[in-house]
Amino acid sequence: WDDIVCPQLVSRYLGYVLNNSELSEALSGPGYASYQALSVRSWFRCVLQIFVDQPAESFARTESERSVDKAHMKQLGELTRLVFKLSEVESILLKAQVEPSSYKQEPKSALVQFIKAAGRAYSGLHMLPEKSDMVSKTLEYLGDVIKYIKPYFIKKGPPEGLQLVYSVMGCLVKHWALILATSKAQQLLFRIIDFLLLPHALFQQDKALPTALLSAVRESLPLYLQGLCIICCQSQTQGAYVKQQLRSIIQQYFGRFLPASPSSGPSIANHPILQALCDSTYSPHITYLQKTFVQVLRENYLQFKGQAPPARLASVLSFVLHVFQRTRNNGFCDMELLLPSLLKCLVLVNEPQVRKLSIEILQHMVENCRMPPEDRAAQLTSILRDFVQEYSTIYDHQVYNVLTTLAGMDQSLVISLIPTITQSLKNSECKQGLGRNTVQREAYRRLLLHLGESGQSEILKLESDES
């Protein structure tokens, strides 16, 4: 069916064709190899374009238009039933172990079911020729899918159409990730990223994205992020480019969906990137997503300008705390990137909310160090040692306060830092050239009082030095 034929006409007459046993049998013979694939493609297009003729604002529809929509949906439901009877489609559903009794009747649900089934069927293949053939077949099913969905973006609606497009395409990216990671599907993948996730308007400060579009992105973004991470972990051909684009997607949408403060706007707990990071089906691609997110966060949302804290710092920290709370079992932590910024917040920022959130995150980091792998504790100690050496000369009181807080979480951790803290104190005194700094020593003494026998022993050493 030519793409210029309206989807209502296609669904009506293709249904007649598929229901005509003699015609279907003739088209299944030699010379009509693509008959079934093109029928699936037409069905794809019809489902994606369910709302394409509706006005951008749903309230502008008339009663007659609503009755036409009902008739069209009935025809499309019948077409869906007939498409699921095609031998190619039945074969895919069988390989994915989808029982006929569980076939979906509603067109969108059926399309999503088919996409998931095709993804499972592909992942079950082992021979390279079989995989190559199925990649070609799935691309034939899709056709020029970007062309099918473009009308929604030209008229910026209706909202139901944008929701449909983003959810179906997000499902496609996640469940066909292994297919999209192949060189054959490379151009399609790049077009999906550029058209749906990183359109030009996203980077233009003077242009705001339509509310309906942003709402659709918010709902489906976890699907795209998880699918792209699978591709990054799998693909050697386009891995570098997709990794770069993934970072751009996280950078753009993390800020767009982050409220000005933890208590304003939509709840941080519903942030789409948080939902992607905390997927209950933990797997290597989620680990990759977490690492990429932390890199983006540190480079773009935790950078101080001199002593001035970054914008929306409380919201950023609240988001990070949510990640720790919801990934408790898999030990989410990237101390090398997160901890230095967190310690800097505790030294330079006096805002109570920021300090409270920072301390709670620090508590989670310390707890995670007790989990495998065992080198986490050594890594934490190393970062804290660098922190003491960098900040104690100028911000000695703030550093001691942070270490006192840490001692309440893990006393042995701070005890292991005593030689470093003492040496930093002496280096500071030497640099100042004014002899013993009694104020700083007294602040250090108060810290040592929290460190048991080791602290008492160090106090005696310092007192003997003074005498």
Side-chain angles (χ1 to χ4, degrees), residues 369-413:
C369 284
R370 301 185 185 117
M371 300 171 61
E374 295 178 357
D375 62 349
R376 283 183 177 179
Q379 187 183 25
L380 175 58
T381 303
S382 175
I383 294 169
L384 289 171
R385 192 176 291 119
D386 292 341
F387 164 68
V388 170
Q389 292 169 343
E390 182 177 355
Y391 288 99
S392 60
T393 301
I394 301 175
Y395 302 102
D396 51 294
H397 283 68
Q398 291 92 327
V399 169
Y400 296 152
N401 285 337
V402 172
L403 295 174
T404 301
T405 300
L406 262 173
M409 302 174 187
D410 189 334
Q411 190 183 70
S412 62
L413 183 63

Side-chain angles (χ1 to χ4, degrees), residues 23 56 75 77 125 141 230 239 272 318 324 335 367 409 418 425 431 449 453:
L23 187 55
Q75 291 167 357
L125 299 176
Y141 291 154
I230 295 171
S318 179
F324 273 101
M335 284 184 297
E367 289 174 1
M409 302 174 187
I418 286 177
L425 168 65
K431 193 176 292 185
L449 289 173
E453 291 182 7

